[in-house]
Amino acid sequence: LEEKVKERTSELLKEVTERKQYQYALEESEKKYRFLFNNAPDGIIQIDSKGTIVNCNKRESELVGYKKEEIIGKHLTFFENRESTEKFEKRLIDLQNEGYLEAEVFLYRKNGTVFPVWRKVSAIYNFDGDFTGAIIHTRDITERKQAEIELIKAKEKAEESDRLKTSFLQNVSHEIRTPMSGILGFTD
């Protein structure tokens, strides 16, 4: 009996040690996750299956100008413009079916300004395969949109310059040909 007690005690010590190691590994993994989540360069939101925000990182809070506590509990569409909100139900169905989507939408900041963002959305499913929510990465694309506008303006300006150059050359050619025709006529 004493031998069995020693054997069982040894087994229990081994189990306790393993559990502590697993617990430590889990805590370390959680720390890494929290660090990455909170220090990501993009905004990150976690929503439930209905679109209610259940978590967000610091960058998301900075993007929209609300405190984290003001964001959590709001519906995702609270921050989107009307056009984006109207497309939400279709996007949610697409997300549930496809598991992933990307979209450019316009968001409202707390101060009322509107700005463009690119969103990458990944669905979350439980062990039974049921849709339970999503993780949304949000990137402010204001600078990119401004660069696109400037590029379009530069292209239009270049096209206008090309039209003016062509018109000028046609006029110069006409102005040179007219007197030349007269001179050539005298020489005949």
Side-chain angles (χ1 to χ4, degrees):
L1 180 67
E2 193 173 305
E3 187 65 35
K4 286 190 176 193
V5 169
K6 285 182 182 180
E7 188 179 306
R8 185 64 184 139
T9 302
S10 176
E11 289 173 3
L12 287 173
L13 283 172
K14 185 179 176 184
E15 286 179 27
V16 168
T17 301
E18 286 177 357
R19 282 188 183 179
K20 285 184 178 182
Q21 289 172 341
Y22 290 137
Q23 182 65 31
Y24 177 76
L26 182 61
E27 288 172 4
E28 287 300 307
S29 177
E30 178 70 15
K31 283 180 191 176
K32 287 178 188 175
Y33 163 77
R34 289 282 162 217
F35 179 81
L36 292 171
F37 181 81
N38 290 320
N39 295 292
D42 291 337
I44 302 175
I45 301 171
Q46 181 181 357
I47 60 169
D48 65 14
S49 60
K50 293 181 172 75
T52 302
I53 298 170
V54 295
N55 199 2
C56 73
N57 71 350
K58 179 181 171 185
R59 180 67 180 134
E60 185 70 28
S61 177
E62 292 169 353
L63 285 172
V64 294
Y66 286 87
K67 293 178 184 173
K68 182 176 182 175
E69 299 77 29
E70 295 174 300
I71 296 171
I72 294 174
K74 292 205 175 7
H75 196 271
L76 182 64
T77 57
F78 176 83
F79 302 98
E80 297 181 355
N81 70 352
R82 179 173 284 125
E83 181 182 324
S84 299
T85 300
E86 290 170 356
K87 295 178 183 177
F88 176 78
E89 290 300 325
K90 182 188 180 320
R91 287 192 323 240
L92 190 61
I93 292 168
D94 291 345
L95 175 63
Q96 291 173 16
N97 294 331
E98 303 294 323
Y100 170 86
L101 68 87
E102 292 183 31
E104 285 187 10
V105 296
F106 288 91
L107 300 183
Y108 289 108
R109 288 190 174 97
K110 190 173 186 176
N111 66 11
T113 60
V114 178
F115 67 107
V117 297
W118 168 81
R119 282 197 159 161
K120 180 178 178 180
V121 186
S122 300
I124 300 172
Y125 302 97
N126 65 16
F127 290 112
D128 296 327
D130 299 324
F131 175 76
T132 60
I135 296 291
I136 303 168
H137 292 260
T138 306
R139 181 170 296 164
D140 186 347
I141 57 171
T142 302
E143 290 178 9
R144 188 184 92 195
K145 287 296 187 182
Q146 288 172 341
E148 286 175 5
I149 290 168
E150 289 173 17
L151 188 61
I152 289 169
K153 287 179 182 178
K155 179 181 175 262
E156 290 171 351
K157 187 175 179 180
E159 288 171 348
E160 179 63 23
S161 293
D162 187 50
R163 280 192 294 274
L164 290 172
K165 178 188 78 167
T166 301
S167 176
F168 174 75
L169 290 175
Q170 287 173 345
N171 285 339
V172 167
S173 174
H174 174 74
E175 294 298 325
I176 291 174
R177 270 188 305 205
T178 302
M180 288 300 285
S181 295
I183 292 171
L184 290 174
F186 282 123
T187 59
D188 286 338

